[in-house]
Amino acid sequence: MQEIAPVPPEAQDVVVAAYRYQSGQPAQVLDIHHLAAHDPLQDGFIWIGLKDPSEATLREVGAQLGLPDNAVEELIAPHRRPKLLEFSNCLIVVAVTLGLKDLRPLLGTTQILIAHGLLLTVRRGSNSNYLPLRARLESTPALLARGSDFVASELLDLIVDQYQTSLEQTEKAVEAIEQQFLIRGFKENDVRRIYRLRRDLLRVHTAVSPLAELTRRLSRIELEYVDAESRAYFAEVSDRIARTAEFINSQRQALAFAFEGGLMIGQMQQTDTTRKLAAWAAILAVPTAVAGIYGMNFKYMPELEWTLGYPLALGLMGSVCGFLYWKFKKAKWL
C-alpha cells in the first residue's frame, strides 16, 4: 500500500467518527491514519465521517482505502450543486445541506462515497449533526447489515429532514409577513425583507431541487454499488425532495402575493390621496377665481358700490364651495 506522510495531530479533529461494524461484535473504533486492508465479506462494514478535512487527510484516507485518484480529487474539490459520480470501485453522491441563522440560509455540502462495505462522508460548511442517525442504526445491527447503500439512503433522508426543519422556520416568517400585511400593510423596510426572503428561497430551491433527480436516478438505474433492495429507499427520498421543492415554491408564491398585494394597496392609497388633492384644488379654485376677478381693479365695476356686494361675494363663494364639498363627499373623494 502506498506510503503517505502522517497527518499532523491538529488535523485529527476532522474525524467525526470512524467505526467498523461486524455482525455479532461491538463497533470497533478505527484510526484513519492506520487503516488495514479491508475485505467487506469478512471485515464487515466501515463507516468514516470527516468534517472539513484537509487535502492531505483526504489523500491519506483515499490511499489507504484504495480509492482511485480521480475519486479523491472529487472529494477534495468544492461543490455547490448536487452531483452523482461513478468510478471504478466506488460511487460519490454530493448533497447540499441546509441550515438557518437569523432566517438566512447556510448552505453546505455532504459528499457520500459508497463502496462495497464502505461508507465515507465528508461534510463542509455544515453544522448538521448525523449522530442521531448513527445511534439509531447502531442500535439496530440488522439495518447496518443492509450495506453502505442503505445507510447512504438513510443519510440523504436525514438531510431532507433538516431541509424541512429549516423550511418550517421560514414558513413561520412568511405567515408573520402575511399577517402583518393584513393588519397594517407594508413599509419600505418590509418590502426589502420580503425581497431578501424570496431571494433566499430561490437560492435554496436552486441548491436542493437537483437532488430529487439525482436520487431518482439512483432508484431507477442499475448501479454496481446500489442494490435492488435499496433503490426503493432512494425513490422515497426522491419523492420527499420533490415535495420539499414544491413547498419552497409555495412559500415563494405566498411572498409574491403579499408583495403584489402591498403594491396594490400602496397604489390605492396614492390614488386616494390624489383624489383628495384634486377635490380640494377644485373647491379652492372658486374663491381664488372670484378674488382674482376683484383683484384686477377695473374702474367700472358697479358691484363695488353696492352695500351688499361684499357679503354677496362671500356668500357666493361659500355656497359654491359647500356644494362642491358635498358632491365630492358623496363621490367619496373626500
Side-chain angles (χ1 to χ4, degrees):
M1 192 169 293
Q2 181 180 357
E3 293 286 340
I4 294 184
V7 178
E10 57 270 17
Q12 296 179 2
D13 57 350
V14 303
V15 182
V16 178
Y19 295 98
R20 173 183 281 114
Y21 302 98
Q22 291 179 288
S23 178
Q25 299 182 18
Q28 177 186 355
V29 179
L30 300 178
D31 181 2
I32 66 168
H33 309 300
H34 302 89
L35 295 174
H38 174 66
D39 183 358
L41 297 178
Q42 297 180 0
D43 299 333
F45 169 52
I46 291 179
W47 186 355
I48 299 175
L50 306 177
K51 186 177 188 300
D52 298 319
S54 65
E55 179 178 342
T57 299
L58 287 174
R59 292 192 184 280
E60 180 190 18
V61 172
Q64 294 191 68
L65 295 175
L67 302 178
D69 292 338
N70 50 356
V72 175
E73 293 298 331
E74 284 296 334
L75 291 175
I76 295 173
H79 298 277
R80 292 187 177 183
R81 297 287 184 271
K83 201 172 184 180
L84 176 62
L85 301 164
E86 189 174 8
F87 300 96
S88 58
N89 64 349
C90 63
L91 179 71
I92 295 180
V93 178
V94 181
V96 175
T97 58
L98 173 63
L100 288 183
K101 182 178 181 181
D102 298 329
L103 287 180
R104 300 304 305 276
L106 297 176
L107 299 178
T109 59
T110 293
Q111 295 168 297
I112 306 172
L113 185 144
I114 306 171
H116 291 310
L118 171 66
L119 185 70
L120 173 64
T121 60
V122 180
R123 284 188 287 154
R124 290 189 177 90
S126 171
N127 294 324
S128 56
N129 191 342
Y130 303 151
L131 291 180
L133 172 63
R134 186 184 298 273
R136 179 172 67 84
L137 294 177
E138 288 177 352
S139 64
T140 312
L143 296 179
L144 288 173
R146 296 181 182 179
S148 56
D149 49 354
F150 170 77
V151 177
S153 69
E154 289 290 299
L155 186 56
L156 290 172
D157 192 64
L158 178 63
I159 291 175
V160 178
D161 287 338
Q162 295 169 353
Y163 290 165
Q164 295 179 346
T165 300
S166 299
L167 291 172
E168 285 174 0
Q169 299 181 42
T170 62
E171 183 183 22
K172 293 178 181 178
V174 172
E175 290 176 351
I177 289 174
E178 291 178 323
Q179 189 69 19
Q180 174 185 322
F181 163 68
L182 294 175
I183 294 175
R184 65 174 179 85
F186 290 145
K187 297 181 180 179
E188 184 177 353
N189 291 335
D190 299 325
V191 174
R192 290 195 180 96
R193 185 158 61 99
I194 291 174
Y195 176 80
R196 185 179 63 187
L197 188 54
R198 286 193 66 194
R199 181 63 181 171
D200 289 342
L201 287 172
L202 178 61
R203 286 180 55 205
V204 172
H205 184 272
T206 303
V208 167
S209 56
L211 190 58
E213 181 60 32
L214 186 150
T215 50
R216 189 177 298 113
R217 180 182 174 188
L218 288 171
S219 67
R220 294 178 178 177
I221 298 178
E222 292 185 5
L223 299 172
E224 182 179 355
Y225 304 100
V226 179
D227 295 337
E229 293 81 4
S230 298
R231 291 175 194 163
Y233 299 107
F234 285 108
E236 184 178 351
V237 173
S238 177
D239 292 339
R240 294 191 63 198
I241 297 172
R243 290 193 296 269
T244 300
E246 292 176 359
F247 182 63
I248 296 173
N249 279 331
S250 67
Q251 290 190 8
R252 295 187 66 240
Q253 290 177 0
L255 289 174
F257 293 151
F259 184 76
E260 293 173 359
L263 290 179
M264 291 178 63
I265 289 179
Q267 292 175 354
M268 292 173 61
Q269 291 174 345
Q270 185 177 7
T271 301
D272 186 57
T273 301
T274 303
R275 288 178 177 178
K276 289 181 178 179
L277 292 175
W280 283 113
I283 293 172
L284 295 177
V286 175
T288 301
V290 175
I293 293 174
Y294 278 93
M296 288 188 287
N297 296 322
F298 289 114
K299 181 177 181 180
Y300 300 104
M301 298 182 69
E303 61 274 14
L304 296 178
E305 303 296 331
W306 296 349
T307 304
L308 299 177
Y310 182 67
L312 286 174
L314 292 179
L316 175 64
M317 288 188 291
S319 299
V320 176
C321 289
F323 175 76
L324 291 176
Y325 180 83
W326 174 74
K327 292 293 291 184
F328 285 128
K329 193 73 173 178
K330 185 177 180 181
K332 296 183 179 181
W333 279 40
L334 291 175

